[in-house]
Amino acid sequence: MPSRKKTSMFASSFCTCVCSFVVICVVLATPQWVSSEVRFSRTGSTVTVSLTYGLFSGTCEQFVDAGLQVSKTTFQVSEALSSTRSRSLIVATIVVLVLALLSSLLSAGFTCTNAVSNPYQTFLGPIGVYTWNSMCGVLILIAMILFPVNVQGNSLSEELAHSCSSSLQAHLGSQHNYGYSYWLMLLILFLNIASLIIIYFYDHARYSKKKEQERPIENAPKDVILF
């Protein structure tokens, strides 16, 4: 059975991994990734298309000239996209987050195993926790980069706005604000770092204790050496 200190530290790390798993699920499920206002010209008027969307679905509103609301509709992101590049980056972002979800789940499994037992394999110990937490953090960073690249570089909001209205003409400008679903990924990074720090302190304390138990003979008392 593991010591009380090991159990408490790995249990704390397990809690952070579970929280990370839950937050990734929330990030995937909620459509509050970005809110965009895209302005277009139309014959005799200016149309502002307001969009709020995530990786799977979103809502779209149209405002003509002085704020007259024309309609509000919902749409599926994958169905509304005609550009292969934009759709590929959306799919890539989803795949990266699913892999991060699996990494977080594996990390939770490893920390739970260490909290209740002493695994024989080295990889099932702190090394495995380091590996899966680090992988989860890297994947989250990749997702945080891919989505803005798609919005800013591939004009994702403009493309989705065209799917809301077929009579839009010249694009006049866009404004983007990233929502809580996007910024929650920073919380996931924080949780992964917290888990790594907890396991590092446990591993460092264990290593220091092991070194103390393996002191060289010259550090032993003189009467023991004479004996």
Side-chain angles (χ1 to χ4, degrees), residues 16-35:
T16 61
C17 293
V18 170
C19 290
S20 175
F21 179 84
V22 172
V23 176
I24 295 174
C25 291
V26 172
V27 167
L28 279 167
T30 51
Q32 305 295 327
W33 277 64
V34 65
S35 297

Side-chain angles (χ1 to χ4, degrees), residues 28 33 54-56 77-79 81 83-100 139 142-143 146-147 150 154 156:
L28 279 167
W33 277 64
L55 298 176
F56 298 101
V77 174
S78 59
E79 296 176 0
L81 292 175
S83 170
T84 304
R85 188 174 179 182
S86 298
R87 188 183 292 111
S88 298
L89 278 181
I90 284 289
V91 172
T93 305
I94 295 171
V95 170
V96 166
L97 285 174
V98 170
L99 291 175
L139 290 169
I142 293 173
L146 285 178
F147 190 75
N150 206 6
N154 292 338
L156 180 62

Side-chain angles (χ1 to χ4, degrees), residues 187-218:
L187 176 59
I188 300 170
L189 288 176
F190 172 78
L191 289 170
N192 279 276
I193 292 171
S195 181
L196 287 172
I197 290 173
I198 292 170
I199 301 304
Y200 171 78
F201 277 119
Y202 163 76
D203 208 21
H204 181 71
R206 185 186 64 169
Y207 178 78
S208 299
K209 185 177 180 180
K210 184 178 178 181
K211 282 298 182 182
E212 288 179 2
Q213 293 174 347
E214 297 176 352
R215 290 184 303 174
I217 194 169
E218 57 267 19

Side-chain angles (χ1 to χ4, degrees), residues 106-180:
L106 285 169
S107 183
F110 276 42
T111 52
C112 182
T113 301
N114 282 271
V116 298
S117 65
N118 291 313
Y120 292 105
Q121 292 87 352
T122 304
F123 187 72
L124 293 179
I127 294 176
V129 180
Y130 291 147
T131 301
W132 294 117
N133 269 280
S134 300
M135 185 177 294
C136 181
V138 169
L139 290 169
I140 292 298
L141 279 175
I142 293 173
M144 292 191 73
I145 294 171
L146 285 178
F147 190 75
V149 166
N150 206 6
V151 173
Q152 306 285 347
N154 292 338
S155 302
L156 180 62
S157 295
E158 289 83 341
E159 188 175 349
L160 292 172
H162 277 287
S163 69
C164 295
S165 177
S166 58
S167 57
L168 302 177
Q169 297 178 355
H171 175 230
L172 301 177
S174 301
Q175 183 178 356
H176 311 290
N177 293 306
Y178 293 95
Y180 70 85

Side-chain angles (χ1 to χ4, degrees), residues 31-37 49-54 57-61 72-75 77 157 160 177 179-180:
Q32 305 295 327
W33 277 64
V34 65
S35 297
S36 300
E37 290 190 357
V49 181
S50 179
L51 305 109
T52 300
Y53 59 93
S57 63
T59 58
C60 172
E61 297 178 87
K72 181 177 181 178
T73 58
T74 60
F75 60 88
V77 174
S157 295
L160 292 172
N177 293 306
Y180 70 85

